Amino acid sequence: MNPTAPRCDDTAAWAALAGHWQAHGRDFDLREAFARDAGRVAALSFDAPEVFADLSKNHIDTATLHFLLELAQQCRLPERRDAMLGGAVANPTEGRAVLHTALRAPRGAGLFSDEVHTTLDAMLAYADAVRTDEGITDIVNIGIGGSDLGPAMAVRALESYTLAGQRVHFVSNVDGHDLAPLLARLDAKRTLFIVASKTFTTQETMANAEAARAWFVQQGGTDVARHFAATTTHVKAAAAFGITTTFGFWDWVGGRYSLWSAIGLPIAIAIGSANFRALLAGAHAMDRHFAQAPLAQNLPVLLGLLDVWYINFHGYASRGVAPYHQGLARLPAYLQQLEMESNGKRVDLAGRDLPFATSPVVWGEPGTNGQHAYFQMLHQGTEVIPVEFILVKTPSHALPGQHAKLLANGLAQSQALMLGKSAAEAAAESVPTADAGFDRAVLAQHRTFPGNRPSTSFVLDALTPSSLGAFLALYEHRVWTSGALWGINSFDQWGVELGKALAGRLLPRLQDGPERGRTDGLDASTAALLQRLTGARA
Ligand code: F6P
């Protein structure tokens, strides 16, 4: 990223957007917007590879888009995108290029193509060998953050492509309650552990890997070469751990952007090499769209601009994700890292404090489950929270009738959020509890929905390796877009370091040994908690 490019709030377009917000944005009403403009759906619907997006239920119109696109131009978004895709140092605080897109470029087409494809071929040959090895029934991926969330989400999403008789498990937490119950169910002779860590130093992963190796030896296991593999940029550290089957990748692949690299090994084992290549191809199709589509049709750019409009002008600090597909149950967790670790930043590239908000809080649950939990707040709470509905046309199960019910619910929720229900409509309804003596007019107030609550609906034809690849790449580029407009570095994560360092200093005071229970030098709250946890004080 070029630090000399103007930050969003240093542009004339930002001032123009502020004027537009005062005049038309703050009082925007979706129902009026639809009544005013018969062409609204057509104007705000977009087709990107594998993904259709209906943005018409958002607090925007073509005038808003015009101002936002002007902002993108004035922030020199196209030049900065091209620089990143061309291998410029887009992560300057770590002095690295940002080239996860090179991992999904066809052979001969992208940067570092020889290294990328040689490693990919080797990783996929190994994956297919494991997949067809009847002696291996359980694969355990040990990793955390980007070395866990993407593969865990994708393996679940693509479950219909997995083989019966082989199970892929994910262990991430340093909490022994994650690994221990799994080990109790495993047969060491039939298990493959993959130690997945970009750095091969992450405390959680190393602790779990050491515990798994100790368990394996205890079970009489001797053939570490057959039962352990590693995916890492730190090949030497994997060798020092005793692992000989290692697939590498490069420092220009960020952890949360790494499922396309060797970190995708558990996905490749689960779905096979041809399907893994389809996942990469779907992502590459979205990369080309991002690189080539005019900004006004460029879906990741439009979504990033919408994020800026919502966060910085409307003040919507949170975004709900509601995948109407049980296979996408881990998508919200994956997006939390992608978005909040990327854009949860408070200074710009020049180190200046930002006078505006950055990453939204991203959260969610699959529909329809979320409807029976948090949707109450979305419909009638005091905060406006934009929601993203992910609808899949064709299911990958054959149970009759259920998919129509699922889709009816997904459509109904976005409709209800937008249309609401007036007090008069509520008063006209007959409600059994009205007979219990509660004031009818007051009851109608409780049953009123304000409506005008924004949402985006995405439609995929089916959840396939290729559509999943395209959908995830869409989100990656969207996160880059808002980060670039805010002038931040979306590719570092210094905010995770302080806690790691403090945990390292506290550990001896919690472990058995001479320092256990010591509280000198600690703040009063931490000291009291430490005493309670070590038994020095009840
Ligand atoms: O939590 C910080 C982080 O560095 C993430 O960015 C990363 O995905 C995760 O830890 C795991 O790191 P590694 O793959 O090096 O073990």
Side-chain angles (χ1 to χ4, degrees), residues 127-391:
D128 281 341
V130 172
R131 185 175 160 85
T132 51
D133 183 340
E134 288 180 2
I136 298 290
T137 53
D138 293 87
I139 294 100
V140 182
N141 188 79
I142 296 177
I144 197 164
S147 300
D148 166 72
L149 289 164
M153 175 272 299
V155 167
R156 178 126 190 222
L158 301 173
E159 204 170 357
S160 58
Y161 294 80
T162 55
L163 292 180
Q166 215 172 42
R167 294 163 292 271
V168 184
H169 313 271
F170 291 87
V171 171
S172 52
N173 201 335
V174 75
D175 181 356
H177 294 106
D178 200 0
L179 179 62
L182 175 63
L183 291 179
R185 302 199 304 271
L186 294 176
D187 175 352
K189 290 189 295 302
R190 299 181 146 269
T191 301
L192 169 68
F193 292 97
I194 301 169
V195 183
S197 175
K198 178 176 172 182
T199 55
F200 225 79
T201 56
T202 304
Q203 186 199 51
E204 292 93 329
T205 302
M206 291 303 107
N208 279 321
E210 277 157 23
R213 188 181 51 190
W215 172 85
F216 177 74
V217 172
Q218 212 174 44
Q219 301 290 306
T222 48
D223 193 353
V224 173
R226 173 161 164 74
H227 293 277
F228 281 80
T231 53
T232 183
T233 58
H234 199 348
V235 177
K236 271 193 194 152
F241 186 87
I243 296 180
T244 48
T245 307
T246 299
F247 300 97
F249 58 108
W250 306 273
D251 71 357
W252 39 262
V253 181
R256 53 194 174 273
Y257 299 86
S258 66
L259 75 89
W260 323 98
S261 71
I263 292 291
L265 176 61
I267 310 174
I269 294 172
I271 67 175
S273 61
N275 286 319
F276 191 83
R277 287 190 193 278
L279 179 86
L280 298 180
H284 178 66
M286 188 61 75
D287 294 341
R288 288 175 65 86
H289 170 82
F290 173 57
Q292 295 171 358
L295 294 190
Q297 299 299 323
N298 196 311
L299 189 55
V301 168
L302 292 168
L303 291 172
L305 288 168
L306 180 62
D307 290 335
V308 168
W309 178 237
Y310 277 170
I311 294 159
N312 300 129
F313 291 91
H314 283 278
Y316 304 155
S318 158
R319 190 169 73 230
V321 184
Y324 276 66
H325 194 302
Q326 192 61 28
L328 293 174
R330 294 294 286 157
L331 182 72
Y334 163 82
L335 293 178
Q336 281 174 343
Q337 189 199 16
L338 178 66
E339 186 136 6
M340 294 162 77
E341 199 172 76
S342 295
N343 283 349
K345 309 287 163 67
R346 50 168 283 282
V347 296
D348 68 13
L349 278 166
R352 295 179 294 176
D353 282 345
L354 293 174
F356 48 73
T358 54
S359 174
V361 177
V362 179
W363 55 282
E365 271 290 311
T368 59
N369 295 3
Q371 292 174 209
H372 298 271
Y374 60 81
F375 268 66
Q376 163 65 38
M377 179 190 172
L378 300 181
H379 288 292
Q380 287 190 316
T382 52
E383 253 184 75
V384 175
I385 299 175
V387 189
E388 299 197 336
F389 292 91
I390 302 158
L391 307 170

